[in-house]
Amino acid sequence: MSNRNMYLVTVPAGFESEAKEEIRGLAPNACVRNLFFKGNLLVECPRSVDLSSIAETNETVYVGKIFPIDKVVKISKSRESIAYIHDEIVQLDKLRKGERFVVRCRRRGKHEFTSQDVERELGSMLEKSCGALADLRNPQKIVTVQIFQNKALIGVSEASKIVEKKIKVFKKYKHGERPLTRAEHKIREAIKIFGLEIKRDFRVLDLGAAPGGWTKVLASLAGKVVAVDPADLNSSVKALPNVTYLKCKAEEIPKNIGRFDLIVNDMNLDPSESARIMVNLAGFLKKGAPALMTIKFVTRNRKKHIAEALEILKAEYKDFKVKRLPHNRYETTVFMRKA
Ligand SMILES: C[S@@+](CC[C@H](N)C(=O)[O-])C[C@H]1O[C@@H](n2cnc3c(N)ncnc32)[C@H](O)[C@@H]1O
């Protein structure tokens, strides 16, 4: 048996960072991770910590439902996964003969079966294999099956351990205060964490600028921002007097565009490709001037993406600092200077 308690916690999408902090406040030794689908966190606590009870007895804002999880198993999209999940649940040996139970499934992703198929088929399989009694109205135990594409989080717990709390936030910002993108937080974090000084007379080149979160923040600090993106820049950002919008790819920037005091790059490209563009555009940047780039983790091999990008960037840049910022999701941020 694992020496950790595992939970799936649902939280309001977009508030994952705040929810993580809240959960760490409730269970200080908890390890809290984002799942690939927004609004879902996987929490691991020491065996002695019962997150369901703690969350139930404490005031919370971001915690929604809490499902105790016994195991995470790999599944395919085929219907055979239901029998496989059944076998895994039987192996847990937590459902006894005569116990009243219900299967609750939530499925995310594409599969050849529905959540209802899982609830129905798994329910009747477990009745046969464990001698337990399916009871939708008054179950003693809940069999949880939470599917995230090729992962099934499974658990068998007392019904009272599935906690459902009222989420107390719905809107993050007051009318008019909402950032254009989560990216706005990212650029603010990067400026702070890397100690980036942006002066009033700076000319900034913003690559992959749309919809315009970074441009908006940069335009409030610098003298001039040239925002480059084939996608549309938000009209309110486009209208800012010190923003020039080039509706083109970074590879198509005109040669006579002038020199810059800062280049930032949030293009959603393969990191090596993005790094090559940074190298090709380095001539626009003054010597020693700073640059920022997000490295998008297009695969799970994060270290490889960082290493490959830095290897390419080395041709024109130096003083690298790599930092995963709180608002970086499937990416990390690199600070560097023109060599
Ligand atoms: C994550 S979004 C950028 C968000 C932006 N930083 C903000 O604050 O709103 C990535 C952008 O990169 C742009 N992009 C992708 N390839 C590009 C290229 N070769 N040149 C310029 N922009 C590119 C996409 O059109 C997309 O708008």
Side-chain angles (χ1 to χ4, degrees):
M1 189 188 264
S2 153
N3 60 351
R4 311 278 288 165
N5 284 337
M6 202 169 13
Y7 301 90
L8 171 72
V9 181
T10 63
V11 303
F15 288 90
E16 289 83 359
S17 307
E18 292 86 346
K20 278 181 176 177
E21 266 180 44
E22 181 167 86
I23 293 167
R24 289 192 193 109
L26 295 171
N29 293 321
C31 162
V32 192
R33 281 182 284 147
N34 283 44
L35 283 162
F36 257 65
F37 290 73
K38 276 186 184 177
N40 294 281
L41 299 176
L42 188 63
V43 182
E44 284 185 73
C45 304
R47 257 273 171 245
S48 56
V49 177
D50 178 354
L51 185 66
S52 301
S53 312
I54 298 173
E56 203 159 42
T57 50
N58 280 278
E59 187 66 23
T60 56
V61 175
Y62 303 101
V63 170
K65 294 184 184 153
I66 303 183
F67 302 94
I69 300 298
D70 291 303
K71 221 175 189 181
V72 181
V73 296
K74 277 214 155 186
I75 58 163
S76 72
K77 61 183 171 119
S78 94
R79 223 183 159 93
E80 285 155 22
S81 294
I82 301 178
Y84 177 67
I85 292 171
H86 164 263
D87 295 347
E88 293 287 342
I89 289 171
V90 171
Q91 275 180 34
L92 293 176
D93 196 23
K94 288 178 86 175
L95 204 53
R96 303 270 163 262
K97 191 171 176 195
E99 265 179 339
R100 301 184 310 278
F101 78 99
V102 68
V103 178
R104 299 246 167 89
C105 176
R106 168 103 200 266
R107 193 184 56 82
R108 302 148 187 93
K110 287 194 180 144
H111 303 91
E112 289 162 9
F113 53 87
T114 63
S115 303
Q116 289 76 22
D117 292 336
V118 176
E119 292 180 349
R120 216 176 25 244
E121 289 180 29
L122 191 54
S124 61
M125 284 177 187
L126 289 169
E127 279 194 303
K128 283 191 200 119
S129 56
C130 302
L133 308 167
D135 184 336
L136 306 189
R137 291 213 178 145
N138 188 23
Q140 294 164 286
K141 292 219 168 139
I142 311 273
V143 175
T144 298
V145 182
Q146 291 276 337
I147 296 176
F148 295 86
Q149 193 54 45
N150 64 344
K151 266 190 205 156
L153 280 54
I154 57 175
V156 178
S157 50
E158 300 292 330
S160 61
K161 293 290 175 199
I162 312 269
V163 171
E164 189 166 348
K165 298 210 73 179
K166 194 167 161 41
I167 292 173
K168 301 193 185 81
V169 282
F170 292 99
K171 270 202 189 154
K172 198 161 181 174
Y173 302 98
K174 288 194 197 116
H175 187 68
E177 280 183 4
R178 188 180 181 78
L180 273 173
T181 58
R182 205 165 48 85
E184 238 178 84
H185 296 299
K186 263 181 358 192
I187 190 69
R188 287 190 205 281
E189 284 164 1
I191 291 170
K192 193 166 160 210
I193 286 169
F194 295 118
L196 183 58
E197 198 192 350
I198 301 178
K199 296 193 182 144
R200 274 282 157 217
D201 61 348
F202 265 25
R203 285 189 87 227
V204 181
L205 180 61
D206 183 358
L207 307 172
W214 287 29
T215 311
K216 184 176 146 192
V217 173
L218 293 165
S220 71
L221 301 167
K224 174 120 196 128
V225 182
V226 177
V228 180
D229 202 306
D232 275 337
L233 202 63
N234 181 287
S235 53
S236 66
V237 178
K238 218 185 314 188
L240 292 171
N242 60 343
V243 169
T244 303
Y245 169 42
L246 297 182
K247 193 173 171 54
C248 67
K249 289 186 166 189
E251 302 90 311
E252 299 160 355
I253 295 176
K255 298 246 173 325
N256 60 354
I257 195 165
R259 303 254 284 166
F260 292 89
D261 304 282
L262 168 67
I263 297 184
V264 299
N265 164 4
D266 193 27
M267 293 187 289
N268 49 7
L269 288 177
D270 179 275
S272 302
E273 201 181 335
S274 193
R276 270 191 285 276
I277 294 175
M278 286 298 281
V279 167
N280 291 341
L281 297 183
F284 292 139
L285 194 59
K286 295 176 183 166
K287 196 164 181 233
L292 281 179
M293 165 180 162
T294 49
I295 293 183
K296 311 289 179 189
F297 295 137
V298 288
T299 74
R300 285 180 184 273
N301 204 339
R302 296 165 182 221
K303 283 192 182 146
K304 175 176 153 263
H305 290 311
I306 296 173
E308 284 178 358
L310 294 185
E311 191 52 40
I312 296 167
L313 290 165
K314 258 177 21 197
E316 291 286 352
Y317 298 89
K318 61 175 185 177
D319 299 345
F320 297 99
K321 287 181 202 154
V322 182
K323 186 113 186 116
R324 190 111 190 251
L325 305 175
H327 274 85
N328 280 148
R329 232 185 231 159
Y330 304 115
E331 60 181 26
T332 196
T333 305
V334 182
F335 170 90
M336 60 203 131
R337 286 190 184 279
K338 168 83 188 295

